[in-house]
Amino acid sequence: MGIRFPILFLFVMSRTLGHSAELSALSQAIDPDWIAQALATTGKASVRKRKLPAEQVVWLVIALALYRHQSIPEVVAHLDLVLPDEVNADIAKSALTQARQRLGQAPLAQLFAMSASCWDERHQSGRAWRGLCRYAVDGSTLRTSDSPENRAHFGAQAYASGVVASYPQLRLLTLTALATHLVRDAVFGAYGTNEMLYAKSLLDRVPDHSLTVFDKGFFSASLLLQLQTKGHERHWLIPAKANSTWERLDPHPTDYRVRMKVSPQARQAEPDLPAFWEVRAIETTTSHGKKRILLTSLMDRQTYPASEIVHQYEERWRIETSYRELKQELLGSELTLRSGTPETVYQEVWGALLAYNLVRLEMAEVATEAQVEPTRLSFITALHYLRHEWGWMAIEAPGKIPAHLTRLRNRLADLLLTEKRGRSCPRVVKKLPARYPIRAVSKPK
């Protein structure tokens, strides 16, 4: 097919120049100038000569997610992150911890913001729907190590019985591109903060000429009107709640305009909200026969047909797999983060998001060359291939690298999913298996 792996081809040059293969390849995806700018802007650039300068620590944080099952010293040795020192070639474990603490989370947050917007804009070209880039907002949680600092900062889930979860948790919300599953932006913090507040902080970063798809839990006049009115051509799509009420404004049976009342509580909190707002309602039936009503700001029926809008909402369901890929595949089901302080937890999450986007970026590049949709490629297979290639190229003879790359390109079919997969059965609550056999109680005679 003439397919190329853009990052992997750079291993040839890295081996020729004598650099660490893994680090040289990754540094071609993330512009070193971005790292320098992030460090300079946040005041974290290394002034004194160190064996592990700030630039190398940035790569260490990203690599901690890519090599989740390796210890921090093993990752440092694997990527050759420590600068040469003829006097003392080793570096103490405490020095690695201190290096991460010196760096903090701000440079990683800024590096993520610069790279994510650049990569997303690069791969939105030709993948827009009727002139609109498509995104989805969704949320999840991550578990942190149980230190007093993390528990005080992030909090934990409390059950109705009064029992508190064994580990602190943080709440994570992402703005993810439907076309590539690249994470465009993210916000996270204390578990007890409502998702609606996190979602509002993402709105200013939603690009113009876009459609953002929400789950029904985000249904709020305040949230949706803020997205719609601030910016240019920023639209939204969301399913109606079961208790939603409105006034129909036209007689069309399945595609009609409605007028809804803004709650007095919302207007009291935000006096600028209107008393009423008009939206478009589209009635549809799922593959399981369940009726659903979608609400949207896309009012023009001719420009935005109802059947295509329904399809956009179906695409939103596939975004939920990105959290599975991040938590189970990239982090290897190690649900508890490494870091023991809130600052390094934030740093670790930004590094994991950067690592996830690096894999998704490579998939988008391959899909462009193969002329297929990036969502047709398997994240699990792509991740395994990349980790495998980074491993053997670091020790392989340079003359054998072209043959390995040819073999890899010929195996691209392994990355292709046969068809788009949907949910095969509706969600149901499964009964947990009993720990002990259940004995039948005999009835009294």
Side-chain angles (χ1 to χ4, degrees), residues 30 58 61-62 65 104-113 115-116 142 170 172-174 183-189 202 205 326 330 337 342-357:
I30 298 180
V58 170
V61 175
I62 298 173
Q105 60 123 348
L108 273 297
Q110 186 162 338
L111 178 61
F112 174 83
S115 61
L142 289 171
L170 66 85
L172 168 69
L173 224 68
T174 59
V183 178
R184 170 82 187 213
D185 216 323
V187 60
F188 51 92
L202 278 177
R205 297 170 241 175
L326 174 65
L330 185 65
L337 300 175
E343 182 73 8
T344 50
V345 166
Y346 281 102
Q347 181 193 81
E348 184 177 351
V349 175
W350 287 122
L353 291 171
L354 277 161
Y356 176 81
N357 268 0

Side-chain angles (χ1 to χ4, degrees), residues 381-434:
T381 309
L383 177 61
H384 290 176
Y385 275 4
L386 289 172
R387 280 176 173 164
H388 175 69
E389 303 309 327
W390 291 335
W392 65 254
M393 284 187 178
I395 59 175
E396 187 64 88
K400 294 184 179 180
I401 291 178
H404 281 287
L405 291 174
T406 301
R407 173 185 57 80
L408 185 60
R409 292 194 300 272
N410 291 336
R411 294 181 60 188
L412 179 63
D414 293 347
L415 287 169
L416 291 175
L417 302 174
T418 55
E419 60 183 5
K420 289 189 176 181
R421 298 166 294 178
R423 187 179 294 116
S424 59
C425 59
R427 287 177 172 172
V428 294
V429 177
K430 300 287 188 181
K431 181 181 178 181
L432 295 176

